[in-house]
Amino acid sequence: MSEFLRSFAREFSGLNKDNLHRLGELYSDDIHFTDPLHEVQGLAQLRDYFSELYANVSDLRFDFHGFDQIREGEGYLRWVMSYRHPRLANGREIRVGGCSHLLWRDKVYRHRDYFDAGALLYEHLPILGRAIAWLKRRMG
C-alpha cells in the first residue's frame, strides 16, 4: 500500500478555491494533467484550470477509496467526486466515480483522470441530458 498515494489523496481532498497555491506541493512544475474534458501542461495552467473549476461549482469534494500502487512511482487512486453546479441538475448534488493514474518522483508529474464525462456534465444539461437518457434507454 502506497503511503505516497494516501498522502496525496489527503492533501488533494483539502484543496479549495482559497488554497490553490498548494498545488505546487503536490505537482511538479512540468505537470502534464489530462481528463476527459481538458489537457493542461505546467503548474501555471493547472492552477488556472483548478481556479476555473472551483469558481463554477460548489461543494466540490473527492472521496478516495482505492490506493493502488503498481510499481515505484506509479499508481491509481479510485474516487467519487461530488459537486453542485447552479445550472446542472437543478443545483442538486451530482456524484461521479472515477480514477486517477499518477506518475511521481518526489511530486506528481503526470496525472490522468478517467471518468464518464456524460455522467459528470452532459447528462445534466437540459436538452442534451434528455437526449442521452433516451439513447441509453434505446441501447439498454
Side-chain angles (χ1 to χ4, degrees):
M1 177 126 31
S2 169
E3 187 47 44
F4 181 91
L5 288 171
R6 288 192 173 280
S7 174
F8 180 91
R10 195 170 36 251
E11 295 298 316
F12 192 91
S13 294
L15 291 174
N16 61 53
K17 66 180 175 37
D18 299 319
N19 65 8
L20 293 178
H21 60 277
R22 290 180 35 209
L23 285 170
E25 298 168 17
L26 298 174
Y27 294 103
S28 64
D29 289 341
D30 64 346
I31 178 63
H32 184 187
F33 177 93
T34 311
D35 69 24
L37 303 170
H38 294 89
E39 183 165 359
V40 294
Q41 195 80 47
L43 197 52
Q45 278 190 13
L46 186 67
R47 255 192 218 106
D48 291 346
Y49 173 53
F50 275 69
S51 290
E52 198 175 303
L53 181 69
Y54 282 93
N56 291 317
V57 300
S58 60
D59 302 330
L60 178 60
R61 187 178 78 247
F62 286 86
D63 298 308
F64 292 93
H65 58 83
F67 310 87
D68 308 311
Q69 184 162 341
I70 298 169
R71 61 184 65 87
E72 189 61 38
E74 180 177 8
Y76 288 89
L77 288 171
R78 287 172 284 143
W79 42 262
V80 174
M81 179 177 67
S82 307
Y83 75 100
R84 294 176 195 276
H85 189 289
R87 292 192 305 270
L88 299 176
N90 295 320
R92 291 188 312 277
E93 182 179 71
I94 296 169
R95 294 171 51 84
V96 178
C99 73
S100 301
H101 177 240
L102 304 178
L103 298 174
W104 68 87
R105 288 180 275 276
D106 55 327
K107 297 178 183 178
V108 171
Y109 64 89
R110 182 75 177 94
H111 180 150
R112 180 166 194 149
D113 280 346
Y114 297 91
F115 58 82
D116 179 347
L120 177 81
L121 178 65
Y122 307 126
E123 292 175 18
H124 305 288
L125 296 170
I127 294 168
L128 199 52
R130 286 194 293 277
I132 291 171
W134 177 82
L135 276 172
K136 281 184 164 182
R137 284 194 305 274
R138 299 267 312 187
M139 297 172 83

